[in-house]
PDB file of all heavy atoms in Angstrom:
ATOM      1  N   GLN Z 135      90.527  -1.805 -33.614  1.00 93.00           N
ATOM      2  CA  GLN Z 135      90.821  -2.044 -32.183  1.00 93.00           C
ATOM      3  C   GLN Z 135      91.861  -3.138 -31.980  1.00 93.00           C
ATOM      4  O   GLN Z 135      91.879  -4.153 -32.673  1.00 93.00           O
ATOM      5  CB  GLN Z 135      89.516  -2.448 -31.473  1.00 93.00           C
ATOM      6  CG  GLN Z 135      89.655  -2.489 -29.947  1.00 93.00           C
ATOM      7  CD  GLN Z 135      88.322  -2.831 -29.292  1.00 93.00           C
ATOM      8  OE1 GLN Z 135      87.302  -3.002 -29.918  1.00 93.00           O
ATOM      9  NE2 GLN Z 135      88.334  -2.938 -27.955  1.00 93.00           N
ATOM     10  N   LYS Z 136      92.764  -2.931 -31.027  1.00 93.00           N
ATOM     11  CA  LYS Z 136      93.780  -3.900 -30.694  1.00 93.00           C
ATOM     12  C   LYS Z 136      93.146  -5.136 -29.992  1.00 93.00           C
ATOM     13  O   LYS Z 136      92.206  -4.966 -29.225  1.00 93.00           O
ATOM     14  CB  LYS Z 136      94.848  -3.313 -29.786  1.00 93.00           C
ATOM     15  CG  LYS Z 136      95.605  -2.131 -30.348  1.00 93.00           C
ATOM     16  CD  LYS Z 136      96.690  -2.555 -31.301  1.00 93.00           C
ATOM     17  CE  LYS Z 136      97.577  -1.351 -31.688  1.00 93.00           C
ATOM     18  NZ  LYS Z 136      98.601  -1.740 -32.689  1.00 93.00           N
ATOM     19  N   ILE Z 137      93.704  -6.298 -30.252  1.00 91.00           N
ATOM     20  CA  ILE Z 137      93.165  -7.527 -29.641  1.00 91.00           C
ATOM     21  C   ILE Z 137      93.243  -7.476 -28.124  1.00 91.00           C
ATOM     22  O   ILE Z 137      92.311  -7.903 -27.433  1.00 91.00           O
ATOM     23  CB  ILE Z 137      93.875  -8.750 -30.193  1.00 91.00           C
ATOM     24  CG1 ILE Z 137      93.694  -8.894 -31.707  1.00 91.00           C
ATOM     25  CG2 ILE Z 137      93.409 -10.029 -29.486  1.00 91.00           C
ATOM     26  CD1 ILE Z 137      92.272  -9.060 -32.162  1.00 91.00           C
ATOM     27  N   TYR Z 138      94.336  -6.902 -27.587  1.00 87.00           N
ATOM     28  CA  TYR Z 138      94.499  -6.924 -26.121  1.00 87.00           C
ATOM     29  C   TYR Z 138      93.444  -6.028 -25.398  1.00 87.00           C
ATOM     30  O   TYR Z 138      93.298  -6.109 -24.211  1.00 87.00           O
ATOM     31  CB  TYR Z 138      95.904  -6.543 -25.680  1.00 87.00           C
ATOM     32  CG  TYR Z 138      96.431  -5.198 -26.140  1.00 87.00           C
ATOM     33  CD1 TYR Z 138      95.901  -3.991 -25.619  1.00 87.00           C
ATOM     34  CD2 TYR Z 138      97.469  -5.072 -27.048  1.00 87.00           C
ATOM     35  CE1 TYR Z 138      96.383  -2.747 -26.016  1.00 87.00           C
ATOM     36  CE2 TYR Z 138      97.947  -3.827 -27.496  1.00 87.00           C
ATOM     37  CZ  TYR Z 138      97.409  -2.682 -26.956  1.00 87.00           C
ATOM     38  OH  TYR Z 138      97.863  -1.447 -27.333  1.00 87.00           O
ATOM     39  N   ASP Z 139      92.791  -5.172 -26.158  1.00 87.00           N
ATOM     40  CA  ASP Z 139      91.726  -4.345 -25.564  1.00 87.00           C
ATOM     41  C   ASP Z 139      90.319  -4.975 -25.687  1.00 87.00           C
ATOM     42  O   ASP Z 139      89.337  -4.332 -25.337  1.00 87.00           O
ATOM     43  CB  ASP Z 139      91.698  -2.951 -26.273  1.00 87.00           C
ATOM     44  CG  ASP Z 139      92.793  -2.034 -25.791  1.00 87.00           C
ATOM     45  OD1 ASP Z 139      93.225  -2.213 -24.594  1.00 87.00           O
ATOM     46  OD2 ASP Z 139      93.256  -1.185 -26.570  1.00 87.00           O
ATOM     47  N   MET Z 140      90.253  -6.174 -26.240  1.00 86.00           N
ATOM     48  CA  MET Z 140      88.968  -6.780 -26.523  1.00 86.00           C
ATOM     49  C   MET Z 140      88.499  -7.765 -25.423  1.00 86.00           C
ATOM     50  O   MET Z 140      89.332  -8.374 -24.764  1.00 86.00           O
ATOM     51  CB  MET Z 140      89.022  -7.546 -27.868  1.00 86.00           C
ATOM     52  CG  MET Z 140      89.144  -6.650 -29.074  1.00 86.00           C
ATOM     53  SD  MET Z 140      89.032  -7.616 -30.612  1.00 86.00           S
ATOM     54  CE  MET Z 140      88.979  -6.302 -31.812  1.00 86.00           C
ATOM     55  N   SER Z 141      87.189  -7.905 -25.331  1.00 80.00           N
ATOM     56  CA  SER Z 141      86.629  -8.932 -24.470  1.00 80.00           C
ATOM     57  C   SER Z 141      86.762 -10.291 -25.157  1.00 80.00           C
ATOM     58  O   SER Z 141      87.072 -10.376 -26.338  1.00 80.00           O
ATOM     59  CB  SER Z 141      85.131  -8.650 -24.201  1.00 80.00           C
ATOM     60  OG  SER Z 141      84.379  -8.782 -25.404  1.00 80.00           O
ATOM     61  N   VAL Z 142      86.470 -11.357 -24.396  1.00 78.00           N
ATOM     62  CA  VAL Z 142      86.541 -12.709 -24.962  1.00 78.00           C
ATOM     63  C   VAL Z 142      85.586 -12.848 -26.158  1.00 78.00           C
ATOM     64  O   VAL Z 142      85.967 -13.442 -27.179  1.00 78.00           O
ATOM     65  CB  VAL Z 142      86.211 -13.773 -23.882  1.00 78.00           C
ATOM     66  CG1 VAL Z 142      86.138 -15.158 -24.501  1.00 78.00           C
ATOM     67  CG2 VAL Z 142      87.256 -13.742 -22.783  1.00 78.00           C
ATOM     68  N   SER Z 143      84.384 -12.348 -26.043  1.00 82.00           N
ATOM     69  CA  SER Z 143      83.409 -12.491 -27.106  1.00 82.00           C
ATOM     70  C   SER Z 143      83.836 -11.725 -28.375  1.00 82.00           C
ATOM     71  O   SER Z 143      83.581 -12.155 -29.520  1.00 82.00           O
ATOM     72  CB  SER Z 143      82.030 -12.064 -26.695  1.00 82.00           C
ATOM     73  OG  SER Z 143      81.971 -10.679 -26.408  1.00 82.00           O
ATOM     74  N   GLN Z 144      84.479 -10.564 -28.159  1.00 87.00           N
ATOM     75  CA  GLN Z 144      84.985  -9.804 -29.333  1.00 87.00           C
ATOM     76  C   GLN Z 144      86.129 -10.564 -30.026  1.00 87.00           C
ATOM     77  O   GLN Z 144      86.195 -10.551 -31.272  1.00 87.00           O
ATOM     78  CB  GLN Z 144      85.488  -8.430 -28.862  1.00 87.00           C
ATOM     79  CG  GLN Z 144      84.353  -7.468 -28.492  1.00 87.00           C
ATOM     80  CD  GLN Z 144      84.894  -6.158 -27.950  1.00 87.00           C
ATOM     81  OE1 GLN Z 144      85.768  -6.138 -27.093  1.00 87.00           O
ATOM     82  NE2 GLN Z 144      84.365  -5.041 -28.438  1.00 87.00           N
ATOM     83  N   LYS Z 145      86.973 -11.214 -29.262  1.00 89.00           N
ATOM     84  CA  LYS Z 145      88.053 -12.007 -29.866  1.00 89.00           C
ATOM     85  C   LYS Z 145      87.453 -13.160 -30.661  1.00 89.00           C
ATOM     86  O   LYS Z 145      87.935 -13.458 -31.777  1.00 89.00           O
ATOM     87  CB  LYS Z 145      88.989 -12.537 -28.789  1.00 89.00           C
ATOM     88  CG  LYS Z 145      89.821 -11.485 -28.084  1.00 89.00           C
ATOM     89  CD  LYS Z 145      90.655 -12.121 -26.967  1.00 89.00           C
ATOM     90  CE  LYS Z 145      91.423 -11.043 -26.217  1.00 89.00           C
ATOM     91  NZ  LYS Z 145      92.173 -11.599 -25.065  1.00 89.00           N
ATOM     92  N   GLN Z 146      86.430 -13.763 -30.128  1.00 88.00           N
ATOM     93  CA  GLN Z 146      85.767 -14.846 -30.900  1.00 88.00           C
ATOM     94  C   GLN Z 146      85.159 -14.317 -32.168  1.00 88.00           C
ATOM     95  O   GLN Z 146      85.242 -14.980 -33.242  1.00 88.00           O
ATOM     96  CB  GLN Z 146      84.665 -15.470 -30.045  1.00 88.00           C
ATOM     97  CG  GLN Z 146      84.005 -16.663 -30.702  1.00 88.00           C
ATOM     98  CD  GLN Z 146      82.848 -17.172 -29.847  1.00 88.00           C
ATOM     99  OE1 GLN Z 146      81.854 -16.489 -29.649  1.00 88.00           O
ATOM    100  NE2 GLN Z 146      82.982 -18.405 -29.377  1.00 88.00           N
ATOM    101  N   THR Z 147      84.569 -13.106 -32.116  1.00 90.00           N
ATOM    102  CA  THR Z 147      83.986 -12.483 -33.298  1.00 90.00           C
ATOM    103  C   THR Z 147      85.079 -12.270 -34.372  1.00 90.00           C
ATOM    104  O   THR Z 147      84.847 -12.507 -35.562  1.00 90.00           O
ATOM    105  CB  THR Z 147      83.336 -11.131 -32.923  1.00 90.00           C
ATOM    106  OG1 THR Z 147      82.320 -11.366 -31.972  1.00 90.00           O
ATOM    107  CG2 THR Z 147      82.763 -10.455 -34.172  1.00 90.00           C
ATOM    108  N   VAL Z 148      86.251 -11.831 -33.943  1.00 92.00           N
ATOM    109  CA  VAL Z 148      87.354 -11.657 -34.899  1.00 92.00           C
ATOM    110  C   VAL Z 148      87.693 -12.967 -35.582  1.00 92.00           C
ATOM    111  O   VAL Z 148      87.910 -12.988 -36.806  1.00 92.00           O
ATOM    112  CB  VAL Z 148      88.630 -11.085 -34.178  1.00 92.00           C
ATOM    113  CG1 VAL Z 148      89.818 -11.029 -35.119  1.00 92.00           C
ATOM    114  CG2 VAL Z 148      88.331  -9.672 -33.638  1.00 92.00           C
ATOM    115  N   GLU Z 149      87.727 -14.067 -34.816  1.00 91.00           N
ATOM    116  CA  GLU Z 149      88.022 -15.370 -35.402  1.00 91.00           C
ATOM    117  C   GLU Z 149      86.958 -15.773 -36.445  1.00 91.00           C
ATOM    118  O   GLU Z 149      87.295 -16.317 -37.496  1.00 91.00           O
ATOM    119  CB  GLU Z 149      88.094 -16.432 -34.296  1.00 91.00           C
ATOM    120  CG  GLU Z 149      89.333 -16.353 -33.439  1.00 91.00           C
ATOM    121  CD  GLU Z 149      90.574 -16.939 -34.106  1.00 91.00           C
ATOM    122  OE1 GLU Z 149      90.606 -17.068 -35.361  1.00 91.00           O
ATOM    123  OE2 GLU Z 149      91.548 -17.264 -33.379  1.00 91.00           O
ATOM    124  N   ILE Z 150      85.695 -15.483 -36.135  1.00 91.00           N
ATOM    125  CA  ILE Z 150      84.625 -15.815 -37.099  1.00 91.00           C
ATOM    126  C   ILE Z 150      84.737 -14.968 -38.347  1.00 91.00           C
ATOM    127  O   ILE Z 150      84.640 -15.447 -39.462  1.00 91.00           O
ATOM    128  CB  ILE Z 150      83.234 -15.679 -36.439  1.00 91.00           C
ATOM    129  CG1 ILE Z 150      83.062 -16.653 -35.277  1.00 91.00           C
ATOM    130  CG2 ILE Z 150      82.111 -15.854 -37.442  1.00 91.00           C
ATOM    131  CD1 ILE Z 150      81.821 -16.459 -34.423  1.00 91.00           C
ATOM    132  N   VAL Z 151      84.944 -13.639 -38.151  1.00 93.00           N
ATOM    133  CA  VAL Z 151      85.069 -12.754 -39.308  1.00 93.00           C
ATOM    134  C   VAL Z 151      86.309 -13.139 -40.171  1.00 93.00           C
ATOM    135  O   VAL Z 151      86.278 -13.050 -41.374  1.00 93.00           O
ATOM    136  CB  VAL Z 151      85.162 -11.285 -38.850  1.00 93.00           C
ATOM    137  CG1 VAL Z 151      85.468 -10.365 -40.026  1.00 93.00           C
ATOM    138  CG2 VAL Z 151      83.922 -10.842 -38.147  1.00 93.00           C
ATOM    139  N   LYS Z 152      87.346 -13.635 -39.473  1.00 92.00           N
ATOM    140  CA  LYS Z 152      88.567 -14.037 -40.183  1.00 92.00           C
ATOM    141  C   LYS Z 152      88.255 -15.124 -41.241  1.00 92.00           C
ATOM    142  O   LYS Z 152      88.705 -15.059 -42.363  1.00 92.00           O
ATOM    143  CB  LYS Z 152      89.609 -14.526 -39.201  1.00 92.00           C
ATOM    144  CG  LYS Z 152      90.990 -14.763 -39.846  1.00 92.00           C
ATOM    145  CD  LYS Z 152      91.910 -15.682 -39.028  1.00 92.00           C
ATOM    146  CE  LYS Z 152      92.277 -15.113 -37.698  1.00 92.00           C
ATOM    147  NZ  LYS Z 152      93.267 -15.949 -36.968  1.00 92.00           N
TER     148      LYS Z 152
END
Side-chain angles (χ1 to χ4, degrees):
Q135 188 177 358
K136 299 280 190 184
I137 298 298
Y138 59 69
D139 283 332
M140 291 186 172
S141 67
V142 174
S143 65
Q144 287 175 313
K145 291 176 184 177
Q146 183 184 65
T147 300
V148 173
E149 288 282 19
I150 296 172
V151 174
K152 190 199 294 186

